[in-house]
Amino acid sequence: PPPQPPLAPQDVYINQYNPANPLSIHVDPVRSNNYFLILGDWGTAVTPGTCQRAVAQHMKDFVVRQRAAGKNLLFVASVGDNFYWSGVKEESWEASWAQPYGVNDPSSPLHDVPWLSVLGNHDYGDDDPFAGCPHMMLRALSSVGGQAYGAKQLNRDKNPSRPANTEKYWLPDYNYHYELPEADLEVIALDTNVNSIATLGGDWHGNSEAFNTCGGEGQVWNFLEKVYRSGRALLRERAQAGTARTVLILQHYPGACQKEVFEAALPPGRKVNVICAYGHVHAQQCNGWNLQGQCNMILSGGGGGCCAPEIAQAGFAAVSLDDAGSFRTDVSSGEVSMPVGSCHWKRRLRQA
């Protein structure tokens, strides 16, 4: 059929997804036997560099040790900048994700492990130009509930052209939540990229064509502002309706977790251990602790996708659940982090 006119932008963005463990993540009945990993800023452009591969191997080695100790990996939480420099390309799924982590390789410790993802500034830009303005497409990748979708990383119900064998990479909408009641755990994933419009795709080198295609930077801002507001609404909704004692909030930027929005909406009597996880800064670092002395503000941007000389330390973070409804974190020990100075990049990034 001939192309149809672009769909009119909606005043309110509606997040559309299934939260009830659609990936059938296995939960060990003993809560303290379960853990998850946090990784950010990992998808090296074109082909994995030595640092991304080194971090990926460090993850695999960690999972092997945990498995030998009887521990169960629930998922990898990916906090954005999943595909450098300006959005995912078709070949990037294999070169930058499946191959280095072995997600489709039965011999890999990370085989068949779900990845719960959010988008960072480098997941937008000229290689995924309509991610920031899907209503401007002459023919959207899909239309669900009358709402246009145009971001290439979204699940196949939103992007039917996404390659096969990527089903375990979970991004059902810009904002979403994922419930694991057997683990007393919930994940809330947010898109906060409206606060970094100028650095989508890195800088103008990576976003000028996308902005022109969208009809100007203002169109992108208007769309992402609606997405952002819908994410804040989701935080309040899950505070009111959720039951998990541990809640993980994922988004890309330091200082943008909005933990206070969630906690302010909690009903009387509900107590929650909240973890904020983010990247953007290429380091492994704890930015805050809870009353039990566990890190609950986790910077995990050392996935190895980018880039000298900004990198402080490469690696990932690990969060182990406990039997009291809380958690234990490892953000920067040698178990999860690479030795300082052990990773090198060949290209400097224009903008973090």
Side-chain angles (χ1 to χ4, degrees):
Q4 301 299 309
L7 291 172
Q10 297 174 268
D11 291 333
V12 177
Y13 186 84
I14 306 298
N15 302 300
Q16 304 179 91
Y17 58 91
N18 171 15
N21 196 10
L23 293 173
S24 299
I25 295 174
H26 168 70
V27 177
D28 190 291
V30 177
R31 190 174 192 266
S32 56
N33 283 340
N34 297 287
Y35 73 101
F36 57 86
L37 305 180
I38 303 169
L39 181 71
D41 302 75
W42 48 267
T44 312
V46 185
T47 185
T50 55
C51 194
Q52 183 187 357
R53 290 185 183 279
V55 174
Q57 186 59 52
H58 207 52
M59 290 174 67
K60 294 174 186 177
D61 294 343
F62 181 86
V63 172
V64 168
R65 292 193 297 271
Q66 293 296 303
R67 186 178 297 164
K71 305 302 181 181
N72 174 58
L73 176 58
L74 297 170
F75 55 82
V76 175
S78 177
V79 294
D81 281 2
N82 311 314
F83 296 100
Y84 285 96
W85 299 101
S86 53
V88 68
K89 299 179 181 179
E90 185 174 359
E91 61 270 22
S92 301
W93 289 103
E94 178 63 27
S96 298
W97 179 61
Q99 195 279 326
Y101 304 103
V103 296
N104 295 320
D105 177 2
S107 68
S108 169
L110 293 172
H111 174 248
D112 219 29
V113 173
W115 290 54
L116 306 185
S117 298
V118 294
L119 299 177
N121 57 306
H122 280 283
D123 297 307
Y124 288 86
D126 291 349
D127 290 316
D128 198 352
F130 291 107
C133 63
H135 59 282
M136 295 300 292
M137 299 182 78
L138 289 177
R139 180 177 294 161
L141 295 178
S142 70
S143 176
V144 180
Q147 186 167 268
Y149 287 91
K152 296 178 183 177
Q153 284 190 51
L154 291 173
N155 289 359
R156 294 185 75 182
D157 63 322
K158 308 299 193 318
N159 174 20
S161 65
R162 206 173 92 170
N165 297 321
T166 63
E167 289 80 5
K168 289 301 177 80
Y169 183 94
W170 194 250
L171 186 59
D173 215 315
Y174 293 87
N175 308 295
Y176 63 94
H177 78 283
Y178 200 106
E179 300 172 10
L180 288 172
E182 298 87 353
D184 211 357
L185 173 67
E186 181 172 314
V187 179
I188 303 175
L190 305 174
D191 190 302
T192 56
N193 284 287
V194 70
N195 298 313
S196 193
I197 290 288
T199 67
L200 300 185
D203 60 12
W204 68 271
H205 293 284
N207 65 34
S208 59
E209 291 181 22
F211 286 166
N212 289 337
T213 300
C214 286
E217 184 176 324
Q219 287 277 5
V220 178
W221 188 92
N222 287 337
F223 173 74
L224 290 181
E225 172 67 13
K226 295 171 187 176
V227 169
Y228 178 74
R229 290 201 307 266
S230 74
R232 288 175 68 88
L234 178 63
L235 283 171
R236 291 188 287 267
E237 291 167 8
R238 295 313 306 159
Q240 289 287 323
T243 60
R245 286 186 292 173
T246 299
V247 169
L248 170 67
I249 302 175
L250 303 178
Q251 55 81 44
H252 184 57
Y253 301 95
C257 173
Q258 303 164 88
K259 175 175 177 279
E260 69 284 355
V261 173
F262 178 86
E263 292 180 332
L266 289 170
R270 187 183 178 201
K271 299 186 183 300
V272 184
N273 299 294
V274 179
I275 306 168
C276 292
Y278 43 87
H280 193 58
V281 176
H282 308 132
Q284 299 300 118
Q285 185 174 306
C286 181
N287 296 142
W289 294 262
N290 64 13
L291 294 177
Q292 291 72 44
Q294 294 299 319
C295 182
N296 64 354
M297 303 292 290
I298 300 174
L299 169 62
S300 188
C306 176
C307 44
E310 292 94 339
I311 186 69
Q313 190 169 34
F316 57 95
V319 179
S320 301
L321 304 180
D322 67 21
D323 292 325
S326 190
F327 57 87
R328 292 175 290 103
T329 52
D330 187 353
V331 179
S332 57
S333 80
E335 287 284 298
V336 297
S337 290
M338 306 293 295
V340 174
S342 65
C343 278
H344 303 279
W345 287 259
K346 295 182 179 179
R347 172 177 174 174
R348 292 189 58 170
L349 182 60
R350 298 179 293 265
Q351 176 72 38

